[in-house]
Amino acid sequence: MATIYTIHPDTPQARSIEQIKDALKDGAVMLYPTDTVYAIGCDLYVKSAVERVRRIKQLSNDKPLTFLCPSLSDVSTYAWVNDSSYRIMKRLIPGPYTFILPTTKLVPQLVMNPKRKTTGIRVPNHKVCSALLNALGNPIISTSAHVLSHEEYAPMPGVESNGFFSRVELFDRLEKLVDAIVDNGQEPGYEGSTILDLTGEEPVVVRQGLKWEEVAAWVV
């Protein structure tokens, strides 16, 4: 049964954040809120936890996993960012955007696309996420708790077509699958991030999600 941590959405309690950080370092998988939807995640560098996230989401190993970074400067540690990509990301970060980028050697193979050597990276505009990232010192895996993969809007097994769980229903469904539940008292969002592929000469929109309209005028 998962441990529930009640966190203030605007001023996350340092003691609780530290407890969650310790659990993640020890291999915990958590359910937690982001600036888009509730996500399932873990420490990027705990292999056993990443494998569990894949099993929970029923993801094959050729499906890359998105992870969160605290800032744009951290993104360049885990991905190759050229000048044009940097300008685009600087314009949008922090926010509900996932950027597909070629990885550096610091990204585990279990997380990246094995053929393209790419991954999805986000810098969320969310105080609880920021507190967790800064405490952990590592990126955090972030895959939607509502859908089968970040490329599709298909509901998880047990969800009615075009329906989503409330916060309490989501906790009830996943409390036996995860080790920790981070509850900031707010209902989950139901729209995923906008995904931009920055691996080519021009940015390409892979998925239109939250705040898509802010990039519609200048992205292919």
Side-chain angles (χ1 to χ4, degrees):
M1 194 71 68
T3 301
I4 298 178
Y5 298 89
T6 301
I7 305 292
H8 193 282
D10 297 317
T11 54
Q13 303 92 318
R15 181 181 178 185
S16 296
I17 294 296
E18 191 69 13
Q19 290 173 333
I20 300 168
K21 180 264 290 184
D22 290 342
L24 293 175
K25 287 290 188 183
D26 287 339
V29 171
M30 67 175 174
L31 174 67
Y32 67 106
T34 73
D35 55 347
T36 56
V37 298
Y38 255 82
I40 299 169
C42 63
D43 187 325
L44 177 72
Y45 288 118
V46 180
K47 182 180 179 181
S48 61
V50 176
E51 290 173 339
R52 280 182 60 201
V53 171
R54 285 195 174 278
R55 289 197 297 271
I56 292 170
K57 287 297 299 289
Q58 303 175 28
L59 291 175
S60 60
N61 286 341
D62 62 346
K63 295 286 187 180
L65 285 169
T66 293
F67 58 83
L68 307 182
C69 285
S71 68
L72 178 55
S73 61
D74 288 282
V75 172
S76 61
T77 301
Y78 301 97
W80 298 105
V81 182
N82 59 32
D83 290 342
S84 61
S85 295
Y86 180 86
R87 287 192 293 270
I88 290 172
M89 296 171 71
K90 186 176 181 180
R91 193 169 176 176
L92 298 173
I93 284 175
Y97 302 96
T98 298
F99 304 99
I100 306 300
L101 292 160
T103 64
T104 66
K105 293 182 179 179
L106 292 179
V107 176
Q109 289 190 356
L110 187 59
V111 173
M112 69 177 71
N113 181 307
K115 293 181 179 180
R116 299 183 65 200
K117 305 297 182 183
T118 58
T119 192
I121 302 179
R122 291 221 304 116
V123 178
N125 185 17
H126 194 274
K127 291 183 179 178
V128 174
C129 288
S130 297
L132 288 171
L133 286 163
N134 288 326
L136 186 64
N138 289 337
I140 295 174
I141 293 294
S142 182
T143 179
S144 169
H146 294 293
V147 297
L148 291 173
S149 78
H150 65 245
E151 299 173 344
E152 301 169 349
Y153 282 103
M156 288 180 67
V159 186
E160 294 296 327
S161 180
N162 298 320
F164 291 92
F165 293 135
S166 68
R167 181 172 114 265
V168 174
E169 289 171 332
L170 195 61
F171 292 176
D172 287 343
R173 291 279 181 164
L174 293 177
E175 66 179 349
K176 294 181 180 179
L177 298 178
V178 300
D179 306 298
I181 294 175
V182 181
D183 182 8
N184 69 345
Q186 298 177 339
E187 286 300 311
Y190 299 120
E191 188 173 4
S193 62
T194 292
I195 301 177
L196 297 175
D197 189 331
L198 302 181
T199 59
E201 294 184 2
E202 298 291 338
V204 175
V205 176
V206 176
R207 184 178 76 190
Q208 297 180 16
L210 275 175
K211 294 192 176 181
W212 148 250
E213 64 277 2
E214 295 190 13
V215 301
W218 50 274
V219 174
V220 176

